[in-house]
């Protein structure tokens, strides 16, 4: 974080400063990382004692102090001898502090803020864009999927006076969430990747999801840029809802940034990217799945608006070894067995794309095995979407289906009811039983996809299978 005095922070947060020690006063300067987890504190850090569902951060102020914290932002004074700023709401204070820091850096430097949202692909796109921009200047991007009311401000607070690019991933569980994050970060560039059924149960339907994602572009400045997916009609419809300049990406012929010659293999995804006024550039992604071409185009589109030549963006993307941990992560290798661990998250769109990739990259005569868990947070759409995936598995001739967990059992039933399988689908209540089956069932040359929502935790099963077939 940038250097600020305790008084500056207290004033901005409308909080009350309690120095806590004889050597701390309003003029004391703090500039350490801001954390809400006391275990992540480093010397000089700032601890935000937020209340959680299962515990209360105020109980861990002492632990933060022991690890070297110099300031605690609290909702009531604590007995620990540390400088404290008492605020009405710790999470709101975290956001306001982030807004203050970004405003300060913007006023003195050349900071550009990029916001990214979408039902799928936010983290992958963020990683791709970070890889491109980090070669151009100091870039701050979220760790993992820090994209909510806590994670996004925590990312924003990592900027320094020399930061040139700030990437903010913006997720939502309801209408208004993205608008609040946009108000904090005030993006210069807003990216919308897709409007799908991820978390549709929480939103209350696809139209509510559309309204929530549109919040990314409605408040962009006229000098800003809205980067929109031309292949998604719902995203494309946002073009007339923003005052910003619109840049469209996709495979459509009228997209500004466009991909052609897309080809997926077991080692990655290749395509050619086109942009106005530049020579086409070949892109060699080491990330599996044609659906990641859209994410790459989004990242290239942002970089293009910031003046990065197409060829340089393409070259940078070629150095990205994986999208993210547990996202189309290629494991195994022994006996020509490929394990694709894509079980960090799952929506109908991402599940369908992963299964399509499994079918596409398998070599002739070799088997494909889909190990699937539940897609969560779909509400009233859950049953029909699990049925649709079961149908897709059969129609794409996936060799084996292994369904894990009671919440996903409908997938197994749907595949069987399709009528064209005889014993190719099996069901297990838990991961241990599934692992034992797969350890005996997998043969040389198999390609295995492990996919589920985060709550099903099949990513750990994927890791176990990866270890089993590693060199």
């Amino acid at each position: 974080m940038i250097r600020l005095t305790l008084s500056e922070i207290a004033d901005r947060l409308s909080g009350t400063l309690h120095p806590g020690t004889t050597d701390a006063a309003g003029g004391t300067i703090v500039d350490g990382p801001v954390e809400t987890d006391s275990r992540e504190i480093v010397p000089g850090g700032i601890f935000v004692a937020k209340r959680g569902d299962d515990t209360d951060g105020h109980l861990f102020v002492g632990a933060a102090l022991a690890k070297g914290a110099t300031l605690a932002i609290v909702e009531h004074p604590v007995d620990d001898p540390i400088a404290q700023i008492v605020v009405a709401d710790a999470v709101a204070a975290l956001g306001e502090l982030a807004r203050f820091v970004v405003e300060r850096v913007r006023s003195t430097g050349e900071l550009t803020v990029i916001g990214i949202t979408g039902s799928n692909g936010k983290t992958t796109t963020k990683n791709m864009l970070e890889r491109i921009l980090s070669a151009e200047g100091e870039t701050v991007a979220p760790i993992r999927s820090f994209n909510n009311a806590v994670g996004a401000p925590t990312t924003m607070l990592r900027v320094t006076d020399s930061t040139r690019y700030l990437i903010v991933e913006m997720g939502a569980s309801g209408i208004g969430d993205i608008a609040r994050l946009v108000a904090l970060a005030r993006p210069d560039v807003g990216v919308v990747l897709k409007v799908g059924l991820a978390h549709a149960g929480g939103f209350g339907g696809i139209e509510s999801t559309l309204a929530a994602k549109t919040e990314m572009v409605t408040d962009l400045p006229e000098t800003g840029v809205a980067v929109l997916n031309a292949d998604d009609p719902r995203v494309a419809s946002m073009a007339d809802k923003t005052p910003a300049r619109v840049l469209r990406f996709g495979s459509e012929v009228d997209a500004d940034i466009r991909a052609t010659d897309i080809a997926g293999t077991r080692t990655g995804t290749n395509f050619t990217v086109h942009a106005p006024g530049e020579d086409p550039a070949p892109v060699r992604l080491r990330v599996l799945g044609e659906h990641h071409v859209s994410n790459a185009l989004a990242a290239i589109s942002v970089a293009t608006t910031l003046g990065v030549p197409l060829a340089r963006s393409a070259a940078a993307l070629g150095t990205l070894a994986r999208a993210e941990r547990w996202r189309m992560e290629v494991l195994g290798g022994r006996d020509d067995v490929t394990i694709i661990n894509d079980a960090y998250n799952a929506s109908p769109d991402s599940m369908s794309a992963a299964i399509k990739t499994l079918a596409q990259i398998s070599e002739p005569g070799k088997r494909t095995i889909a190990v699937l868990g539940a897609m969560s947070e779909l509400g009233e759409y859950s049953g029909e979407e699990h049925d649709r995936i079961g149908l897709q598995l059969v129609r794409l001739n996936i060799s084996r289906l292994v369904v894990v967990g009671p919440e996903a059992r409908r997938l197994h039933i749907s595949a069987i009811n399709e009528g064209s399988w005889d014993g190719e689908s099996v069901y297990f209540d838990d991961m241990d039983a599934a692992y034992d089956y797969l350890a005996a069932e997998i043969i040389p040359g198999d390609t295995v996809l492990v996919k589920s929502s985060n709550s099903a935790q099949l990513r750990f099963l994927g890791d176990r299978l990866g270890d089993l077939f590693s060199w």
Side-chain angles (χ1 to χ4, degrees):
M1 193 183 76
I2 63 173
R3 291 165 59 86
L4 294 171
T5 67
L6 294 179
S7 291
E8 285 178 309
I9 296 173
D11 289 346
R12 182 61 182 242
L13 303 185
S14 299
T16 303
L17 175 61
H18 295 261
T21 61
T22 56
D23 58 346
T28 301
I29 292 175
V30 292
D31 60 359
V34 181
E35 304 287 353
T36 60
D37 186 338
S38 62
R39 295 168 296 185
E40 301 295 326
I41 289 291
V42 298
I46 299 169
F47 178 60
V48 179
K50 74 178 186 71
R51 300 177 189 272
D53 294 332
D54 302 316
T55 188
D56 184 345
H58 295 79
L59 301 174
F60 300 94
V61 174
L65 175 61
K67 295 203 72 173
T70 57
L71 171 65
I73 296 174
V74 296
E75 294 177 2
H76 59 77
V78 296
D79 292 335
D80 302 284
I82 183 174
Q84 302 166 41
I85 296 176
V86 181
V87 298
D89 184 316
V91 173
L94 175 68
E96 188 58 31
L97 180 58
R99 190 204 313 257
F100 182 36
V101 167
V102 171
E103 286 176 358
R104 179 71 65 89
V105 174
R106 245 197 183 115
S107 69
T108 59
E110 298 181 354
L111 179 66
T112 297
V113 180
I114 304 105
I116 300 174
T117 195
S119 298
N120 306 109
K122 294 185 293 297
T123 300
T124 299
T125 303
K126 172 261 298 183
N127 287 341
M128 290 178 169
L129 183 57
E130 181 184 17
R131 181 56 59 98
I132 296 171
L133 294 184
S134 61
E136 307 296 323
E138 182 181 311
T139 301
V140 170
I143 301 169
R144 300 186 294 277
S145 296
F146 278 24
N147 61 24
N148 60 13
V150 173
T154 301
T155 298
M156 293 164 62
L157 285 163
R158 289 171 46 217
V159 301
T160 69
D161 290 319
S162 58
T163 300
R164 187 173 175 189
Y165 304 109
L166 168 63
I167 305 169
V168 185
E169 188 178 327
M170 298 184 181
S173 57
I175 291 176
D177 288 351
I178 292 174
R180 282 186 283 274
L181 295 177
V182 167
L184 295 181
R186 291 177 43 240
D188 302 287
V189 182
V191 182
V192 186
L193 302 169
K194 191 171 185 62
V195 174
L197 286 174
H199 315 296
F203 281 105
I206 192 67
E207 292 307 315
S208 294
T209 305
L210 172 59
K213 301 303 181 185
T214 303
E215 293 169 2
M216 171 60 78
V217 300
T218 53
D219 290 332
L220 288 175
E222 291 184 3
T223 55
V225 182
V227 177
L228 303 179
N229 184 356
D231 295 339
D232 185 323
R234 293 188 179 93
V235 176
S237 73
M238 298 177 188
D240 62 359
K241 298 177 177 64
T242 178
R245 176 170 68 89
V246 173
L247 187 70
R248 301 166 74 246
F249 66 89
S251 58
E252 298 290 333
V253 294
D254 59 345
D256 300 297
I257 308 297
R258 186 166 60 94
T260 62
D261 307 319
I262 301 171
T265 70
R266 292 175 79 182
T267 58
T269 310
N270 302 328
F271 65 96
T272 301
V273 62
H274 306 257
E278 297 195 62
D279 292 333
V283 181
R284 304 284 183 261
L285 288 179
R286 295 160 66 186
V287 180
L288 293 186
E290 290 185 8
H291 53 294
H292 286 308
V293 172
S294 181
N295 300 328
L297 289 176
I300 292 170
S301 298
V302 174
T304 298
T305 70
L306 301 177
V308 181
L310 202 60
R312 210 148 71 208
S313 292
L317 288 177
T319 68
L320 190 67
R322 65 183 183 189
E324 177 75 9
R325 183 84 163 96
W326 299 314
R327 287 176 170 88
M328 298 302 284
E329 183 176 15
V330 179
L331 306 172
R334 181 173 58 82
D335 297 332
D336 194 31
V337 171
T338 300
I339 308 295
I340 305 170
N341 194 352
D342 192 34
Y344 184 82
N345 223 332
S347 68
D349 290 327
S350 68
M351 181 76 83
S352 179
I355 293 167
K356 181 181 177 183
T357 297
L358 175 65
Q360 287 175 333
I361 67 174
S362 177
E363 297 176 1
K366 301 294 181 65
R367 299 194 312 172
T368 51
I369 301 176
V371 184
L372 306 181
M375 299 178 290
S376 62
E377 300 183 58
L378 295 180
E380 63 180 292
Y381 302 97
S382 181
E384 63 187 76
E385 290 301 325
H386 282 87
D387 289 345
R388 187 173 66 84
I389 294 300
L391 175 63
Q392 182 188 22
L393 289 158
V394 175
R395 290 185 174 177
L396 289 178
N397 293 316
I398 302 302
S399 307
R400 294 284 187 276
L401 170 62
V402 179
V403 178
V404 185
E407 294 81 6
R409 188 181 180 90
R410 185 159 174 167
L411 259 176
H412 170 61
I413 295 170
S414 298
I416 292 174
N417 287 344
E418 186 58 22
S420 57
W421 280 14
D422 181 19
E424 287 94 341
S425 180
V426 294
Y427 168 79
F428 298 97
D429 279 326
D430 60 75
M431 285 189 288
D432 288 338
Y435 174 82
D436 291 341
Y437 169 82
L438 288 162
E441 174 68 17
I442 294 172
I443 61 175
D446 282 351
T447 302
V448 183
L449 168 70
V450 184
K451 180 75 173 171
S452 74
S453 284
N454 196 24
S455 58
Q457 299 189 340
L458 291 200
R459 60 192 183 279
F460 302 119
L461 174 60
D463 283 345
R464 290 178 68 186
L465 293 172
D467 290 341
L468 180 65
F469 288 98
S470 66
W471 288 102

